[in-house]
Amino acid sequence: MLNTRIAAVLAAVVAAAILAFALTVSAGDDASAASKGKCPKANATPGEASAEQLGDAVVCLIGKERKKADVKAVDQNGALTSVAAKHTKVMIEENCLDHRCRGEKPLNERIVNSGYPRPGERYSFGEVTGCSLTPEAMVDAWMDSRVHRKRILGKKYRDVGIGAAKGSPNVAGCDDGRRRGVYTVILGSNQG
């Protein structure tokens, strides 16, 4: 009887140790990926990551592309992120995959209204949008497009705003029955 209890306690301790080890390894995967220069959640589908994680992965991947091209990194900007996030939501709601959807003001006005350039500041901006199964696939598609690549690697840009959402507009290329993510990236530069 005593041996059975000791065996049960030992089995419970071993099971707990294995579970703790598995959780530590799993939790360390993203930290390990980041320390190895990989972008956490870069290959996650919208069902496997939050919208914030998907957006962070896109920004990380854009940073890697800029570094490879020897272009200065961009910093996340709250005002541009707000504009990008709202536009991403509108694209899904309005079944639109474009730079301006029904009911929206032109992008220039949306940026100015966000407070990104202070009054009197000169600024420039570029935007890329799209839908994809993973952040990495989205950035790869943009980098394969001459126009999008030029915007992403634009040397004048210093700031970035990201909008990411689960879902897809009902437009060709996005609504193929697979759960995709929709992304908006706004790159900006203001020169006081």
Side-chain angles (χ1 to χ4, degrees), residues 120-150:
E121 284 186 325
R122 292 184 355 216
Y123 71 101
S124 59
F125 63 89
E127 180 187 50
V128 294
T129 61
C131 64
S132 188
L133 292 173
T134 67
E136 186 171 66
M138 184 75 267
V139 173
D140 286 348
W142 285 332
M143 295 307 289
D144 285 342
S145 159
R146 185 182 59 77
V147 171
H148 294 111
R149 179 182 184 84
K150 184 177 178 182

Side-chain angles (χ1 to χ4, degrees), residues 59 62-63 66 72-75 77 80-81 84 107 111 116 123-128 142 147-162 184-190:
V59 171
I62 286 173
R66 289 178 67 90
K72 286 186 180 180
V74 287
D75 293 318
N77 178 278
L80 293 179
T81 293
L107 180 57
I111 291 172
Y116 175 67
Y123 71 101
S124 59
F125 63 89
E127 180 187 50
V128 294
W142 285 332
V147 171
H148 294 111
R149 179 182 184 84
K150 184 177 178 182
R151 286 187 183 139
I152 288 171
L153 300 180
K155 291 182 181 184
K156 64 185 170 188
Y157 299 131
R158 298 288 179 258
D159 302 308
V160 66
I162 179 71
T184 301
V185 172
I186 301 175
L187 297 145
S189 176
N190 57 11

Side-chain angles (χ1 to χ4, degrees), residues 52-89:
E52 182 179 351
Q53 290 171 321
L54 296 171
D56 288 346
V58 167
V59 171
C60 177
L61 292 162
I62 286 173
K64 292 179 126 342
E65 292 295 339
R66 289 178 67 90
K67 185 175 183 175
K68 280 194 296 190
D70 200 26
V71 178
K72 286 186 180 180
V74 287
D75 293 318
Q76 282 198 0
N77 178 278
L80 293 179
T81 293
S82 177
V83 174
K86 287 176 187 173
H87 180 64
T88 301
K89 183 178 176 186

Side-chain angles (χ1 to χ4, degrees), residues 4 37 69 114 160 169:
T4 306
S114 77
V160 66

Side-chain angles (χ1 to χ4, degrees), residues 24-42 44 48-49 53:
T24 301
V25 169
S26 175
D29 284 348
D30 281 348
S32 174
S35 70
K36 292 179 183 175
K38 295 181 181 177
C39 298
K41 305 297 183 186
E48 299 168 336
Q53 290 171 321

